[in-house]
Amino acid sequence: MSRNFQQMLGQVLAQEQIRMDEPMSRHTTFRVGGPADYYVEPDTKEELAKVLKLCQEQLMPCYILGNGSNLLVGDGGYRGVMVSLGRAWSGIRTEESKIYAGAGALLSAVAKQALKNALTGLEFASGIPGTVGGAVVMNAGAYGSEIAEVLKSVTLLTPGGNVLVSDPGELGFGYRTSNIPGRNCVVLEAEFSLEPGREEGIRQRMEELAAARRDKQPLEYPSAGSTFKRPAGYFAGKLIEEAGLRGLLIGGAQVSEKHCGFVINRGEATARDVRDLCQEVQRCVREHSGVELELEVRLLGEF
């Protein structure tokens, strides 16, 4: 780590907003991962813009972190700056049938706000563990619905430090993807456009989906949710099961016996265990069915 960079970072943020050698196992839902050189928590878009500009000028890698629910950080850690959009970015407000949510707000909290205001359209998101920012970037979805369907606009911070409001048609949404990372933009806020509904009906649908998750998904173990993207014309979990991989263990990582589309941390897994198991699953499925499974989880740092 560069003392010079540390001093420059201290000119942008207060000392309590900067942590050194922060274990990423504390900040990912896999509960694995070595230390990030720097872990920072900017409170305003001005601070965020200054941090990103500093990283760009000093050629320091940086990564925007939400809830860490789609991320696998290597055991060797991350040689750069983890930029956490947490509590200061978690505001949620409702205006008629619109909900405005900061990038750090949990998607489940936004869904609860919709329920509270009898607005329908976000029931599918009530069990997704990520933040609004991460959900927008990857067009998160579940049970046949996805974020792009309920977005009205997204407020972005551009690489030049400007604030830009974009409509969904400008963001290149596809299956678990958008053009936001390619443009080096950062989500600041999302505006959701919902429909008036019956609170009881919305609650019932959320409870049905929650029961389905409990029944079919290994929620009792750390994981990153669905580990692999759904291949066109197939289901990842079914392909993995047909390849005979249910329950496969490497170290402390396991293909869930409850749902083969999930790789879980049995309690003592390392990031390398998880990565190696994912690679073994990809190899076996490729040999068995000829289908190339693509990771939905992002790998970052040193393994």
Side-chain angles (χ1 to χ4, degrees):
M1 288 184 286
S2 165
R3 182 169 293 277
N4 188 40
F5 181 82
Q6 184 180 343
Q7 290 171 345
M8 288 187 284
L9 198 54
Q11 294 170 2
V12 173
L13 300 174
Q15 198 56 47
E16 60 267 21
Q17 293 173 282
I18 305 170
R19 301 185 212 173
M20 315 283 288
D21 293 321
E22 178 70 8
M24 292 310 299
S25 57
R26 298 176 181 172
H27 304 285
T28 64
T29 56
F30 261 127
R31 296 291 177 256
V32 299
D37 286 351
Y38 305 93
Y39 179 93
V40 302
E41 298 177 298
D43 288 336
T44 66
K45 62 178 181 291
E46 291 79 16
E47 289 179 347
L48 175 60
K50 288 177 182 178
V51 168
L52 297 180
K53 183 180 179 183
L54 176 62
C55 290
Q56 184 179 26
E57 291 174 345
Q58 298 299 313
L59 303 180
M60 178 67 72
C62 66
Y63 183 83
I64 305 297
L65 180 70
N67 196 42
S69 59
N70 205 46
L71 185 64
L72 179 64
V73 180
D75 303 305
Y78 179 65
R79 304 285 77 78
V81 181
M82 281 285 180
V83 183
S84 173
L85 301 186
R87 188 175 303 172
W89 303 84
S90 60
I92 304 171
R93 70 184 191 279
T94 305
E95 295 180 10
E96 298 180 341
S97 61
K98 305 284 196 302
I99 294 182
Y100 299 83
L106 288 175
L107 205 53
S108 57
V110 181
K112 287 178 182 177
Q113 180 85 346
L115 169 63
K116 180 180 177 182
N117 288 273
L119 296 173
T120 184
L122 273 173
E123 291 88 338
F124 75 94
S126 58
I128 297 176
T131 58
V132 166
V136 170
V137 165
M138 69 169 292
N139 191 21
Y143 297 103
S145 299
E146 57 189 20
I147 287 295
E149 297 169 0
V150 289
L151 276 179
K152 176 70 173 177
S153 70
V154 179
T155 303
L156 302 169
L157 182 69
T158 71
N162 299 313
V163 174
L164 173 69
V165 178
S166 296
D167 65 49
E170 300 171 304
L171 299 177
F173 284 119
Y175 175 68
R176 303 298 178 263
T177 188
S178 73
N179 65 22
I180 296 171
R183 294 164 59 188
N184 290 318
C185 290
V186 179
V187 176
L188 300 179
E189 184 180 74
E191 176 189 2
F192 297 95
S193 180
L194 306 175
E195 297 290 336
R198 290 178 54 254
E199 184 176 345
E200 188 53 43
I202 296 167
R203 178 181 288 105
Q204 181 177 347
R205 179 58 178 158
M206 286 183 173
E207 289 174 352
E208 289 172 357
L209 294 179
R213 286 188 181 91
R214 287 192 300 270
D215 182 52
K216 298 177 181 178
Q217 299 179 9
L219 303 180
E220 64 273 29
Y221 292 104
S223 77
S226 295
T227 309
F228 302 94
K229 294 182 180 180
R230 187 180 69 241
Y234 299 92
F235 292 99
K238 191 169 189 295
L239 290 171
I240 295 166
E241 182 174 9
E242 289 173 347
L245 302 177
R246 181 183 294 275
L248 179 66
L249 272 164
I250 291 183
Q254 184 180 37
V255 174
S256 170
E257 295 178 298
K258 197 171 188 180
H259 189 313
C260 290
F262 284 63
V263 169
I264 60 173
N265 176 0
R266 293 281 303 185
E268 300 296 331
T270 64
R272 185 170 181 172
D273 290 340
V274 176
R275 184 204 62 181
D276 288 354
L277 180 57
C278 290
Q279 291 177 343
E280 179 65 6
V281 167
Q282 288 172 311
R283 184 189 69 80
C284 291
V285 168
R286 186 188 312 117
E287 289 183 357
H288 184 267
S289 63
V291 178
E292 190 71 48
L293 289 182
E294 184 181 351
L295 278 175
E296 191 166 305
V297 177
R298 175 158 186 185
L299 274 60
L300 198 67
E302 299 178 351
F303 285 84

